[in-house]
Amino acid sequence: ALSRIKKMRASTQAILTYCGLTAEEKTSFPGSLKKCSAILKENLLALGKDHSYLFEDVEEKDEDGNPIIKLEDSWNKHLQYVDETVVQSAAAVEDDDITAEDEPANKRQKTDEDTSTPPAETNRMVISARVLLTPGRKPISKLIPELKKKSAVLIKNGTVSSIRMEFGTAFEMTIYFKPLLVTIRALNKEATATTAPIRDITALSGGIQWPSLHQGLNAGEITDNNTSHVSVLGVTGTRATLAPIIAKQLEYASAQATHVLRKCFAATVNGKTSSSESDFGIEIAETSALIKFMKIVRSTYHNGKWVDVED
């Protein structure tokens, strides 16, 4: 282990030294960054493998050996949108071993590509679904089996449709389509255990039911002095003390999830003209965007160990 650490230290120092060289001096060391990066990666992976036992059983696990999802995971584990086209382009130019003769041509090529990019079409903002699950529209047949695979439920309230996903007994996520919004709230255990109407719901225009940030936090464990307590991040306190802090974190998590959802749907619009697309074609594309979002969500909150539910 000590020898690997020394190699990593030497590689890091070499990278820092290389960064301090002039452009002319760097041409004398072609491929240096790539070699140092390979050494760092090799030794980091080896150290992780040799000492993996140090990280075992750190997380709480259920009886099946799966990590228990906690309420704080909703804001501690960040959802991230990855543009697959960008990843493919990055992989194509990953090799940084460029000689002094090749570099000017490479830069000229990049400049030519940049100037040919269509203006204002590559980063269009999308705040609402155009066709998918909009008021009065039924879901396409492709969507229902995909929802089952991700343990998601389609909820219809009049003409308004939304998707609901639960994460253990900790929190739930609701996806709205017109506009594109995501809410993450503590799981309301009282509501799931009874058929009574869900409390802490605000009715908005268009028939949307907006859950309160304090949903699921109002009914904590009753302890001394008949005071309601809640537990999060290993801290137990009164609802009056912790609930506002948790609600603020859930608001942040919801906003971040909304951003990722809109990025997924933006991929169905960017670089295209809506006038040339049929409603069915748009609906297929938006269904794929929703499936991609649900995949990101399940993978993130289940530590990449989510397995689709099969019939």
Side-chain angles (χ1 to χ4, degrees), residues 268-288:
T268 69
V269 178
N270 291 336
K272 302 176 182 178
T273 55
S274 57
S275 59
S276 64
E277 295 181 90
S278 66
D279 283 355
F280 182 70
I282 295 173
E283 192 169 24
I284 290 292
E286 290 185 334
T287 299
S288 298

Side-chain angles (χ1 to χ4, degrees), residues 20 29 32 45 88 94 109 112 114 129 141 237-238 241 271 279 292:
F29 305 96
S32 298
L45 291 175
Q88 292 172 358
E94 186 177 11
Q109 183 181 2
D112 294 338
D114 290 345
S141 57
T238 62
T241 302
D279 283 355
K292 179 175 182 178

Side-chain angles (χ1 to χ4, degrees), residues 62 139 227 245 285:
D62 58 21
T227 303
I245 300 174

Side-chain angles (χ1 to χ4, degrees), residues 14 120 150 183 255 262 293 298:
K150 298 295 185 292
T183 63
R262 291 181 176 182
F293 176 73
R298 286 299 186 189

Side-chain angles (χ1 to χ4, degrees), residues 222-248:
I222 304 299
T223 56
D224 57 298
N225 299 323
N226 199 31
T227 303
S228 178
H229 283 63
V230 292
S231 298
V232 68
L233 292 170
V235 178
T236 300
T238 62
R239 182 187 64 81
T241 302
L242 290 183
I245 300 174
I246 298 172
K248 198 68 178 177

